[in-house]
Amino acid sequence: MRALLRLLGLLRPWVWWMSLAAAIGFFTVGAGIGLMMAGGWLISAAALMPPLFSLQVYIVGVRFFGVSRAAARYAERLITHQVTFEVLTGVRVWLFRALEPQAPALLMDHASGDLLGRLVGDVEALEQIFARAVAPPMIFALVLLLVTGLFSLWDPAIGLALAGLLLLGGVVVPLLTRAITRPLGRRAVALRAELDTRLVDGLRGQAELIAFGREAEHRARTAAVSEELIGVQRAMGRVEATQAALITGLATLGAAWSLWVGIPQVQSGEWQGMSLAAVILGGLAVYEAITPLPGAVAQLDRTLGSAERVFGLADAPPPVAPGGAALGEGHALEIRGLTHRYQDGPDVLSDLSIHLAPGRRVALVGESGAGKSTLANLLLRFWEYGEGQITLGGVDLRALDPDAVRSRFAVMGQRTVLFGRTVRANLLLGRPGASQEELEDAARRAGALALIEGLPQGWDTWLSEGGGGISGGERRRLALARALLSDAPIWLLDEPLAHLDAVTAATLHQAVLDATEGRSALLITHRLIGLEPLDEVIVLHQGRVVERGSPAELLAAGGWYARMLARQRQLEAVEALG
Amino acid sequence: MRHIHVLTGVLAGLLGAATVGWAWVLAAGIDRVFLQGEGLDAAGGWLLAFALLGLVRAALRYGVDLAGEQLAAHGRASLRGQLLDHIARLGPAWSGGERAGELSATLTEGIEALRAYYAQFLPQLYQAAVIPLLLLVVVFPRDPYSGLLFALTAPLIPVFMVFIGEHAKQRVEAQYVELGRMSSFFLEVLGGLPTLKALGRARAQLDEVETISRAYGEANLKVLRVAFVSALALELLATLSVALVAVSIGLRLVSGSLDYVDGLFVLIVAPEYYQPLRALGASFHASMSGVEAARRIFAILETAPVRPGEGAQALPEGALALEGVSYRYPGAERPALDGVELRVGPGETLAIVGPSGAGKSTLTKLLLRLVDPDQGRLSLGGVDARELPLEPWRRRVGWVPQEPHLFHGTIGENVRLGAPHAPAAAVWEALRRADLAPLVEGLPLGLQTQVGEGGARLSGGQAQRLALARAFLIDPPILVLDEHTSSLDPDSEDRLGDTLAELARGRTVILCAHRLHTAMRADRVAVMVQGRVVEQGTHQELLAAEGVYAGLIAASGGAE
């Protein structure tokens, strides 16, 4: 209920537009009733063979409602779409503003991996709220008032009965059937998920199923889940069919009741005889307002669930509190005794110290899951760190504004995203307002200039999410160029070569080394080949430093670094045969 | 299936007939009260008939909807079944890799999209075909003028639907694509927030989100304004026809050329006449994605399966050999395997070394009999594999894939893949030999721990160990091993090497190695490059030959 109120609060800026759309929607239904009523009147009056001019008012009524209903339908669609877009924009801006402070902590390494996927569904459900959940009840309420008032002009018994039938078909029954359809719906969602998992299992694991002789069995079990899902969907279909049939039945019931009440009145002369056809035909046209209501109930359920989740996210306290101290002049980065864990988990970093004086380049290596990437997230203030101290230019990170801290880092990582915009726009994110010369210079240094100029539309080529003819290695070069443009004093490179083939990795590695020449750099990587030019290599194992020293020292020591390097060279030698 | 189609058609016809009767009873009743002055005492009979016919209409509407639902259920169940069977026939050589994602989308969303087509469009189609025709037949003799108007306007609705609809549809669809792009822009910005924050550009995106949303909304409305004209035309056609019918009936009633009861009847059925046609238009769009899905589904069903040949001979003992084997994937430019000659004697371990793309995984598919060679033959004990039955072959040949697929389920179920009824003790023994027992023992639920989301996430090395446990459990005489590509840390790598060596003992093993290390332990080594075996022999022989293999050993800093 609180979620509902808050959701409606979000919609407040568009209350007039929504009212207008609902009013026109109401008029459309009303014109339908008017058309049938006027038609009934017209022919009943005509049956008494009056002079033609006396029919004029009915003829005008019929024509007016016929034309205006079509026009109103058109206007309703237009305005509803307008409002939907307004709401969509508003909800997005609100959501973005609410989630922005949370975002990295929310979206990365979260316990439930599919947070973003769920957010997509939630945003879509919120965007549909007006057209599918708010407008139909508003229209219904107006029609209900109209019907009660209009038909009570003849007899309150008819007006109230029709209103009762509308309430029964439009409110009572959908709410009652909700008790049946909700568990069915939940079951259907669960079965869909199970079916999807089984199907994907069967496809991705097909070779194994065949090799281990389990394929037919797996297929039979998948088919069984499919059957069960279809069974549940059929049960839901039966409920929908019942509702549609019920509305058909209600219409007859209302007409029969109106006749029962009306016939004696006609006979007694209380009503003009020609009213009877008008009341009956008009009464048959009122049920149009009910049709979208069962859908609205279901949509509202979905939307409220989404709203609760989104509000929950938006209300969470921000992961880091901004401090107000001024950034120091220097940019020496000093990490002392840093220990960090997520919630109740084990330490992912323990007692880590790194001294990154200006111009010094340090590699942080170790098996995946050793806590290396956590350090990048802590340095960028995506998370608050636990014990220990991190200072930048001599000032504790906690005392600084997170945005100011980030401005000191040039970041490139495996999670670094290129956006669905032009190449130019993507690079300009690194330095808004950069000149063409600056862009070209950065691209040249990242080894991406020839690539960009070779694209079909050059700098204005649109990068699509799916890749759009640009390989993984090329995307990394663009990200490198963007980081170069940001011209920050400290480079933070988080697995910049992950998931690249050996040859691409080797050339990109060189470009990274060239780009960071003479700068401070922290290189987080599991690739040990080519680290020789760096000042220090730190080997982490389960969050602890197990080896550190210059590459030459570590090689001579013959420890983890030396043995791992030998193996990676072997792998690379074999790959180089291709 | 066919009888449900017929049933739907019959029910639609009955619904039409019930509507005619219902409307006629109503018209006649009003006529008797209004023009003939009858009262409630005389109305009992027809009021009851009217109410009953109304109930019959409701029941028939329920029947038509239910039949549609039945059609949809049958359609989906049978298509999904056919697709699953057919994809099984096509085999992993066809369905694996990048195609898997698209295929699973077709099997899930694609099949579900058919529901709209079967459950909504088809029943509407039957109703639209039957009910208006029936009403026309009844209306014509009573009021030819209105009948003519009905007959002339009805075809206009489908024509409008096709003519304006087709044009508008394209524009609307283009807009929906745009809308999709818009949504993905927003979601991409949300997903890319870490990057944007690191670049210090996060808050600047707020304006952009608003500007783009707004600009898109405006541009979209311009197009929709046009598209909605088609809806306007349809609505206008239906409502204006009713208005025209009403006015013309009125005028003819005044001139006395038409009976009131006929006129009223026509006016009551007029909305019922247009309703199925308009509903057809509405469900037409909903069914479009179903039609699109059906296109993809039938394309898959029409793909000819390639099955490995199979005979009925008993499986012989002896050496496993590839004799001049070549294989080219359908549509591929160059062969994945090109004249490969390999022989592994019983109990021998053969390591195959080569870069990714050299043909090692194709070799695996051949050995598992997922595909047959284009040229040459695979033989066991001198007998062509195509003469041997598949099931016993696959029981004989075990497989540890490079990136094993972990099935949704528990660790225990995953280890039992090849032996579903193996006792827990055997599973633990297999886990122990695969060096995975300590990890599983440390989990609170042990063998019952779910794998993947919401359960234990296994690293690449651990997943490979689980695949090893699968192999230990079924204990096959011949084993095909694909070594994991990514680099583990040296200690785990050494331990994995030991496990592999233990697994190989007493078995015939073909080991696709990425590490020279692993290869060095094998009895013999074959080096593959671009689908060809460039040299083979023992480690010492190859070193002495000073060829590719010796070069590799030298390049990677000696044999450690």
PDB file of all heavy atoms in Angstrom, chain A residues 74 82 92 196 201 206 208 214 233 420-421 563 575, chain B residues 76 95 108 112 182 188 205 221 225 356 405 408 417 491:
ATOM      1  N   TYR A  74      -9.087   7.983 -31.544  1.00  0.00           N
ATOM      2  CA  TYR A  74      -7.812   8.444 -32.088  1.00  0.00           C
ATOM      3  C   TYR A  74      -7.096   9.342 -31.074  1.00  0.00           C
ATOM      4  O   TYR A  74      -5.926   9.146 -30.763  1.00  0.00           O
ATOM      5  CB  TYR A  74      -8.084   9.206 -33.389  1.00  0.00           C
ATOM      6  CG  TYR A  74      -6.863   9.725 -34.088  1.00  0.00           C
ATOM      7  CD1 TYR A  74      -5.932   8.851 -34.637  1.00  0.00           C
ATOM      8  CD2 TYR A  74      -6.636  11.095 -34.227  1.00  0.00           C
ATOM      9  CE1 TYR A  74      -4.815   9.322 -35.292  1.00  0.00           C
ATOM     10  CE2 TYR A  74      -5.514  11.570 -34.876  1.00  0.00           C
ATOM     11  CZ  TYR A  74      -4.613  10.681 -35.409  1.00  0.00           C
ATOM     12  OH  TYR A  74      -3.499  11.154 -36.049  1.00  0.00           O
ATOM     13  N   GLN A  82       1.333   9.843 -25.444  1.00  0.00           N
ATOM     14  CA  GLN A  82       2.066  11.021 -24.966  1.00  0.00           C
ATOM     15  C   GLN A  82       2.364  10.881 -23.474  1.00  0.00           C
ATOM     16  O   GLN A  82       3.501  11.045 -23.033  1.00  0.00           O
ATOM     17  CB  GLN A  82       1.222  12.274 -25.231  1.00  0.00           C
ATOM     18  CG  GLN A  82       1.810  13.557 -24.692  1.00  0.00           C
ATOM     19  CD  GLN A  82       2.948  14.037 -25.572  1.00  0.00           C
ATOM     20  OE1 GLN A  82       2.832  14.033 -26.793  1.00  0.00           O
ATOM     21  NE2 GLN A  82       4.055  14.427 -24.973  1.00  0.00           N
ATOM     22  N   ARG A  92      12.454   7.174 -15.631  1.00  0.00           N
ATOM     23  CA  ARG A  92      13.860   6.895 -15.877  1.00  0.00           C
ATOM     24  C   ARG A  92      14.763   7.896 -15.176  1.00  0.00           C
ATOM     25  O   ARG A  92      15.763   7.528 -14.566  1.00  0.00           O
ATOM     26  CB  ARG A  92      14.153   6.921 -17.378  1.00  0.00           C
ATOM     27  CG  ARG A  92      13.680   5.677 -18.035  1.00  0.00           C
ATOM     28  CD  ARG A  92      13.939   5.706 -19.494  1.00  0.00           C
ATOM     29  NE  ARG A  92      13.478   4.455 -20.065  1.00  0.00           N
ATOM     30  CZ  ARG A  92      13.480   4.203 -21.351  1.00  0.00           C
ATOM     31  NH1 ARG A  92      13.923   5.104 -22.193  1.00  0.00           N
ATOM     32  NH2 ARG A  92      13.051   3.049 -21.787  1.00  0.00           N
ATOM     33  N   ASP A 196      13.331 -23.260 -19.043  1.00  0.00           N
ATOM     34  CA  ASP A 196      14.446 -22.566 -19.691  1.00  0.00           C
ATOM     35  C   ASP A 196      15.771 -23.197 -19.286  1.00  0.00           C
ATOM     36  O   ASP A 196      16.636 -23.453 -20.127  1.00  0.00           O
ATOM     37  CB  ASP A 196      14.452 -21.080 -19.314  1.00  0.00           C
ATOM     38  CG  ASP A 196      13.330 -20.334 -20.017  1.00  0.00           C
ATOM     39  OD1 ASP A 196      12.575 -20.990 -20.745  1.00  0.00           O
ATOM     40  OD2 ASP A 196      13.214 -19.116 -19.824  1.00  0.00           O
ATOM     41  N   ASP A 201      20.354 -26.339 -20.570  1.00  0.00           N
ATOM     42  CA  ASP A 201      21.179 -27.477 -20.180  1.00  0.00           C
ATOM     43  C   ASP A 201      21.276 -28.484 -21.319  1.00  0.00           C
ATOM     44  O   ASP A 201      22.350 -28.983 -21.639  1.00  0.00           O
ATOM     45  CB  ASP A 201      20.555 -28.186 -18.972  1.00  0.00           C
ATOM     46  CG  ASP A 201      21.239 -27.804 -17.669  1.00  0.00           C
ATOM     47  OD1 ASP A 201      22.175 -26.990 -17.733  1.00  0.00           O
ATOM     48  OD2 ASP A 201      20.842 -28.321 -16.616  1.00  0.00           O
ATOM     49  N   GLN A 206      24.580 -30.854 -24.594  1.00  0.00           N
ATOM     50  CA  GLN A 206      24.106 -31.932 -25.457  1.00  0.00           C
ATOM     51  C   GLN A 206      25.171 -33.000 -25.702  1.00  0.00           C
ATOM     52  O   GLN A 206      24.905 -34.194 -25.610  1.00  0.00           O
ATOM     53  CB  GLN A 206      23.610 -31.361 -26.789  1.00  0.00           C
ATOM     54  CG  GLN A 206      22.800 -32.372 -27.591  1.00  0.00           C
ATOM     55  CD  GLN A 206      22.340 -31.814 -28.921  1.00  0.00           C
ATOM     56  OE1 GLN A 206      22.924 -30.879 -29.448  1.00  0.00           O
ATOM     57  NE2 GLN A 206      21.299 -32.390 -29.470  1.00  0.00           N
ATOM     58  N   GLU A 208      27.667 -33.854 -23.859  1.00  0.00           N
ATOM     59  CA  GLU A 208      27.879 -34.672 -22.672  1.00  0.00           C
ATOM     60  C   GLU A 208      26.728 -35.640 -22.445  1.00  0.00           C
ATOM     61  O   GLU A 208      26.935 -36.792 -22.090  1.00  0.00           O
ATOM     62  CB  GLU A 208      28.040 -33.776 -21.434  1.00  0.00           C
ATOM     63  CG  GLU A 208      29.480 -33.404 -21.195  1.00  0.00           C
ATOM     64  CD  GLU A 208      29.656 -31.935 -20.953  1.00  0.00           C
ATOM     65  OE1 GLU A 208      29.162 -31.155 -21.809  1.00  0.00           O
ATOM     66  OE2 GLU A 208      30.251 -31.573 -19.941  1.00  0.00           O
ATOM     67  N   ARG A 214      22.605 -40.088 -21.649  1.00  0.00           N
ATOM     68  CA  ARG A 214      21.469 -39.597 -20.868  1.00  0.00           C
ATOM     69  C   ARG A 214      20.539 -38.706 -21.683  1.00  0.00           C
ATOM     70  O   ARG A 214      19.672 -38.050 -21.137  1.00  0.00           O
ATOM     71  CB  ARG A 214      21.973 -38.787 -19.671  1.00  0.00           C
ATOM     72  CG  ARG A 214      22.798 -39.572 -18.686  1.00  0.00           C
ATOM     73  CD  ARG A 214      21.943 -40.475 -17.833  1.00  0.00           C
ATOM     74  NE  ARG A 214      21.040 -39.749 -16.962  1.00  0.00           N
ATOM     75  CZ  ARG A 214      21.379 -39.207 -15.794  1.00  0.00           C
ATOM     76  NH1 ARG A 214      22.609 -39.329 -15.364  1.00  0.00           N
ATOM     77  NH2 ARG A 214      20.492 -38.568 -15.061  1.00  0.00           N
ATOM     78  N   GLN A 233      -0.768 -23.045 -17.901  1.00  0.00           N
ATOM     79  CA  GLN A 233      -1.216 -21.957 -18.774  1.00  0.00           C
ATOM     80  C   GLN A 233      -2.652 -22.191 -19.233  1.00  0.00           C
ATOM     81  O   GLN A 233      -3.415 -21.244 -19.417  1.00  0.00           O
ATOM     82  CB  GLN A 233      -0.278 -21.838 -19.976  1.00  0.00           C
ATOM     83  CG  GLN A 233       1.068 -21.251 -19.590  1.00  0.00           C
ATOM     84  CD  GLN A 233       2.069 -21.349 -20.710  1.00  0.00           C
ATOM     85  OE1 GLN A 233       1.988 -22.241 -21.546  1.00  0.00           O
ATOM     86  NE2 GLN A 233       3.030 -20.448 -20.733  1.00  0.00           N
ATOM     87  N   GLY A 420      26.630   2.349 -26.576  1.00  0.00           N
ATOM     88  CA  GLY A 420      25.999   2.352 -27.891  1.00  0.00           C
ATOM     89  C   GLY A 420      25.851   3.757 -28.426  1.00  0.00           C
ATOM     90  O   GLY A 420      24.758   4.296 -28.483  1.00  0.00           O
ATOM     91  N   ARG A 421      26.979   4.366 -28.759  1.00  0.00           N
ATOM     92  CA  ARG A 421      27.003   5.720 -29.339  1.00  0.00           C
ATOM     93  C   ARG A 421      28.098   5.721 -30.381  1.00  0.00           C
ATOM     94  O   ARG A 421      28.672   4.682 -30.675  1.00  0.00           O
ATOM     95  CB  ARG A 421      27.341   6.763 -28.273  1.00  0.00           C
ATOM     96  CG  ARG A 421      26.534   6.589 -27.026  1.00  0.00           C
ATOM     97  CD  ARG A 421      27.067   7.434 -25.913  1.00  0.00           C
ATOM     98  NE  ARG A 421      26.345   7.056 -24.711  1.00  0.00           N
ATOM     99  CZ  ARG A 421      26.338   7.764 -23.611  1.00  0.00           C
ATOM    100  NH1 ARG A 421      27.021   8.881 -23.539  1.00  0.00           N
ATOM    101  NH2 ARG A 421      25.653   7.355 -22.567  1.00  0.00           N
ATOM    102  N   ARG A 563      57.463 -19.894 -11.638  1.00  0.00           N
ATOM    103  CA  ARG A 563      56.892 -21.123 -12.183  1.00  0.00           C
ATOM    104  C   ARG A 563      55.688 -20.837 -13.073  1.00  0.00           C
ATOM    105  O   ARG A 563      55.500 -21.424 -14.127  1.00  0.00           O
ATOM    106  CB  ARG A 563      56.486 -22.041 -11.028  1.00  0.00           C
ATOM    107  CG  ARG A 563      57.710 -22.563 -10.262  1.00  0.00           C
ATOM    108  CD  ARG A 563      57.361 -23.752  -9.424  1.00  0.00           C
ATOM    109  NE  ARG A 563      56.397 -23.410  -8.382  1.00  0.00           N
ATOM    110  CZ  ARG A 563      55.446 -24.225  -7.971  1.00  0.00           C
ATOM    111  NH1 ARG A 563      55.314 -25.420  -8.508  1.00  0.00           N
ATOM    112  NH2 ARG A 563      54.614 -23.850  -7.030  1.00  0.00           N
ATOM    113  N   GLU A 575      50.254 -21.811 -28.620  1.00  0.00           N
ATOM    114  CA  GLU A 575      49.272 -21.011 -29.346  1.00  0.00           C
ATOM    115  C   GLU A 575      49.887 -20.323 -30.551  1.00  0.00           C
ATOM    116  O   GLU A 575      49.235 -20.139 -31.562  1.00  0.00           O
ATOM    117  CB  GLU A 575      48.628 -19.974 -28.418  1.00  0.00           C
ATOM    118  CG  GLU A 575      47.601 -20.548 -27.452  1.00  0.00           C
ATOM    119  CD  GLU A 575      46.503 -21.308 -28.160  1.00  0.00           C
ATOM    120  OE1 GLU A 575      46.001 -20.816 -29.177  1.00  0.00           O
ATOM    121  OE2 GLU A 575      46.155 -22.410 -27.701  1.00  0.00           O
TER     122      GLU A 575
ATOM    123  N   ARG B  76       1.820 -25.960 -29.073  1.00  0.00           N
ATOM    124  CA  ARG B  76       3.112 -25.739 -28.435  1.00  0.00           C
ATOM    125  C   ARG B  76       3.754 -27.052 -28.026  1.00  0.00           C
ATOM    126  O   ARG B  76       4.925 -27.276 -28.254  1.00  0.00           O
ATOM    127  CB  ARG B  76       2.951 -24.830 -27.217  1.00  0.00           C
ATOM    128  CG  ARG B  76       2.943 -23.363 -27.596  1.00  0.00           C
ATOM    129  CD  ARG B  76       2.631 -22.528 -26.398  1.00  0.00           C
ATOM    130  NE  ARG B  76       1.304 -22.865 -25.897  1.00  0.00           N
ATOM    131  CZ  ARG B  76       0.893 -22.616 -24.676  1.00  0.00           C
ATOM    132  NH1 ARG B  76       1.695 -22.051 -23.830  1.00  0.00           N
ATOM    133  NH2 ARG B  76      -0.338 -22.936 -24.315  1.00  0.00           N
ATOM    134  N   SER B  95      24.233 -27.935 -33.156  1.00  0.00           N
ATOM    135  CA  SER B  95      23.563 -27.046 -32.207  1.00  0.00           C
ATOM    136  C   SER B  95      24.517 -26.405 -31.199  1.00  0.00           C
ATOM    137  O   SER B  95      24.114 -25.525 -30.454  1.00  0.00           O
ATOM    138  CB  SER B  95      22.482 -27.818 -31.444  1.00  0.00           C
ATOM    139  OG  SER B  95      23.078 -28.829 -30.665  1.00  0.00           O
ATOM    140  N   THR B 108      12.210 -21.446 -26.100  1.00  0.00           N
ATOM    141  CA  THR B 108      11.451 -20.897 -24.974  1.00  0.00           C
ATOM    142  C   THR B 108      10.513 -19.789 -25.449  1.00  0.00           C
ATOM    143  O   THR B 108       9.322 -20.002 -25.609  1.00  0.00           O
ATOM    144  CB  THR B 108      12.394 -20.352 -23.889  1.00  0.00           C
ATOM    145  OG1 THR B 108      13.277 -19.415 -24.484  1.00  0.00           O
ATOM    146  CG2 THR B 108      13.201 -21.457 -23.270  1.00  0.00           C
ATOM    147  N   GLU B 112       6.546 -19.926 -26.912  1.00  0.00           N
ATOM    148  CA  GLU B 112       5.520 -19.223 -26.134  1.00  0.00           C
ATOM    149  C   GLU B 112       4.803 -18.184 -26.996  1.00  0.00           C
ATOM    150  O   GLU B 112       3.616 -17.939 -26.826  1.00  0.00           O
ATOM    151  CB  GLU B 112       6.144 -18.547 -24.906  1.00  0.00           C
ATOM    152  CG  GLU B 112       6.572 -19.513 -23.819  1.00  0.00           C
ATOM    153  CD  GLU B 112       5.452 -20.416 -23.350  1.00  0.00           C
ATOM    154  OE1 GLU B 112       4.352 -19.921 -23.044  1.00  0.00           O
ATOM    155  OE2 GLU B 112       5.671 -21.641 -23.304  1.00  0.00           O
ATOM    156  N   MET B 182      16.182   2.576 -27.560  1.00  0.00           N
ATOM    157  CA  MET B 182      16.085   3.569 -26.504  1.00  0.00           C
ATOM    158  C   MET B 182      16.207   2.932 -25.127  1.00  0.00           C
ATOM    159  O   MET B 182      16.964   3.379 -24.270  1.00  0.00           O
ATOM    160  CB  MET B 182      14.704   4.215 -26.566  1.00  0.00           C
ATOM    161  CG  MET B 182      14.649   5.628 -26.989  1.00  0.00           C
ATOM    162  SD  MET B 182      15.742   6.588 -26.055  1.00  0.00           S
ATOM    163  CE  MET B 182      15.018   6.311 -24.439  1.00  0.00           C
ATOM    164  N   GLU B 188      21.853   0.334 -20.712  1.00  0.00           N
ATOM    165  CA  GLU B 188      23.291   0.300 -20.914  1.00  0.00           C
ATOM    166  C   GLU B 188      23.963   1.338 -20.017  1.00  0.00           C
ATOM    167  O   GLU B 188      24.995   1.072 -19.405  1.00  0.00           O
ATOM    168  CB  GLU B 188      23.551   0.610 -22.375  1.00  0.00           C
ATOM    169  CG  GLU B 188      24.958   0.454 -22.814  1.00  0.00           C
ATOM    170  CD  GLU B 188      25.117   1.047 -24.193  1.00  0.00           C
ATOM    171  OE1 GLU B 188      24.893   2.264 -24.360  1.00  0.00           O
ATOM    172  OE2 GLU B 188      25.451   0.312 -25.100  1.00  0.00           O
ATOM    173  N   GLN B 205      25.152  12.136 -17.332  1.00  0.00           N
ATOM    174  CA  GLN B 205      24.283  11.289 -18.146  1.00  0.00           C
ATOM    175  C   GLN B 205      22.805  11.540 -17.870  1.00  0.00           C
ATOM    176  O   GLN B 205      21.950  11.192 -18.666  1.00  0.00           O
ATOM    177  CB  GLN B 205      24.587   9.813 -17.879  1.00  0.00           C
ATOM    178  CG  GLN B 205      25.985   9.408 -18.265  1.00  0.00           C
ATOM    179  CD  GLN B 205      26.248   9.640 -19.725  1.00  0.00           C
ATOM    180  OE1 GLN B 205      25.524   9.143 -20.586  1.00  0.00           O
ATOM    181  NE2 GLN B 205      27.277  10.408 -20.032  1.00  0.00           N
ATOM    182  N   LEU B 221       5.914   9.988 -31.596  1.00  0.00           N
ATOM    183  CA  LEU B 221       4.513  10.390 -31.697  1.00  0.00           C
ATOM    184  C   LEU B 221       4.172  10.856 -33.103  1.00  0.00           C
ATOM    185  O   LEU B 221       3.078  10.601 -33.591  1.00  0.00           O
ATOM    186  CB  LEU B 221       4.225  11.506 -30.700  1.00  0.00           C
ATOM    187  CG  LEU B 221       3.672  11.006 -29.369  1.00  0.00           C
ATOM    188  CD1 LEU B 221       3.455  12.149 -28.428  1.00  0.00           C
ATOM    189  CD2 LEU B 221       2.373  10.245 -29.592  1.00  0.00           C
ATOM    190  N   ARG B 225       1.154   9.131 -34.937  1.00  0.00           N
ATOM    191  CA  ARG B 225       0.000   9.902 -35.371  1.00  0.00           C
ATOM    192  C   ARG B 225      -0.492   9.370 -36.716  1.00  0.00           C
ATOM    193  O   ARG B 225      -1.664   9.255 -36.962  1.00  0.00           O
ATOM    194  CB  ARG B 225       0.411  11.369 -35.506  1.00  0.00           C
ATOM    195  CG  ARG B 225      -0.521  12.318 -34.808  1.00  0.00           C
ATOM    196  CD  ARG B 225       0.121  13.668 -34.662  1.00  0.00           C
ATOM    197  NE  ARG B 225       0.783  13.810 -33.378  1.00  0.00           N
ATOM    198  CZ  ARG B 225       1.726  14.698 -33.109  1.00  0.00           C
ATOM    199  NH1 ARG B 225       2.160  15.515 -34.055  1.00  0.00           N
ATOM    200  NH2 ARG B 225       2.243  14.764 -31.922  1.00  0.00           N
ATOM    201  N   SER B 356      44.774 -23.499 -30.282  1.00  0.00           N
ATOM    202  CA  SER B 356      43.328 -23.542 -30.474  1.00  0.00           C
ATOM    203  C   SER B 356      43.038 -23.442 -31.967  1.00  0.00           C
ATOM    204  O   SER B 356      43.712 -22.712 -32.688  1.00  0.00           O
ATOM    205  CB  SER B 356      42.626 -22.402 -29.728  1.00  0.00           C
ATOM    206  OG  SER B 356      43.536 -21.620 -29.027  1.00  0.00           O
ATOM    207  N   HIS B 405      30.110 -28.969 -19.089  1.00  0.00           N
ATOM    208  CA  HIS B 405      28.863 -28.296 -18.767  1.00  0.00           C
ATOM    209  C   HIS B 405      28.371 -28.812 -17.424  1.00  0.00           C
ATOM    210  O   HIS B 405      28.265 -30.015 -17.229  1.00  0.00           O
ATOM    211  CB  HIS B 405      27.814 -28.566 -19.838  1.00  0.00           C
ATOM    212  CG  HIS B 405      26.520 -27.878 -19.570  1.00  0.00           C
ATOM    213  ND1 HIS B 405      26.342 -26.537 -19.838  1.00  0.00           N
ATOM    214  CD2 HIS B 405      25.383 -28.306 -19.009  1.00  0.00           C
ATOM    215  CE1 HIS B 405      25.127 -26.193 -19.474  1.00  0.00           C
ATOM    216  NE2 HIS B 405      24.524 -27.244 -18.969  1.00  0.00           N
ATOM    217  N   HIS B 408      22.119 -28.051 -14.247  1.00  0.00           N
ATOM    218  CA  HIS B 408      21.367 -27.509 -13.138  1.00  0.00           C
ATOM    219  C   HIS B 408      20.976 -28.667 -12.237  1.00  0.00           C
ATOM    220  O   HIS B 408      20.293 -29.592 -12.674  1.00  0.00           O
ATOM    221  CB  HIS B 408      20.126 -26.808 -13.684  1.00  0.00           C
ATOM    222  CG  HIS B 408      19.423 -25.998 -12.675  1.00  0.00           C
ATOM    223  ND1 HIS B 408      19.888 -24.779 -12.264  1.00  0.00           N
ATOM    224  CD2 HIS B 408      18.300 -26.238 -11.978  1.00  0.00           C
ATOM    225  CE1 HIS B 408      19.073 -24.299 -11.366  1.00  0.00           C
ATOM    226  NE2 HIS B 408      18.105 -25.163 -11.170  1.00  0.00           N
ATOM    227  N   LEU B 417      26.379 -38.325 -13.781  1.00  0.00           N
ATOM    228  CA  LEU B 417      25.866 -38.156 -15.141  1.00  0.00           C
ATOM    229  C   LEU B 417      25.884 -39.465 -15.923  1.00  0.00           C
ATOM    230  O   LEU B 417      24.930 -39.804 -16.610  1.00  0.00           O
ATOM    231  CB  LEU B 417      26.680 -37.081 -15.876  1.00  0.00           C
ATOM    232  CG  LEU B 417      26.174 -36.731 -17.275  1.00  0.00           C
ATOM    233  CD1 LEU B 417      24.790 -36.116 -17.206  1.00  0.00           C
ATOM    234  CD2 LEU B 417      27.114 -35.761 -17.971  1.00  0.00           C
ATOM    235  N   ASP B 491      50.526 -24.914  -8.695  1.00  0.00           N
ATOM    236  CA  ASP B 491      50.308 -26.035  -7.786  1.00  0.00           C
ATOM    237  C   ASP B 491      49.086 -26.850  -8.191  1.00  0.00           C
ATOM    238  O   ASP B 491      49.139 -28.073  -8.270  1.00  0.00           O
ATOM    239  CB  ASP B 491      50.136 -25.522  -6.348  1.00  0.00           C
ATOM    240  CG  ASP B 491      51.381 -24.787  -5.887  1.00  0.00           C
ATOM    241  OD1 ASP B 491      52.466 -25.123  -6.416  1.00  0.00           O
ATOM    242  OD2 ASP B 491      51.263 -23.893  -5.036  1.00  0.00           O
TER     243      ASP B 491
END
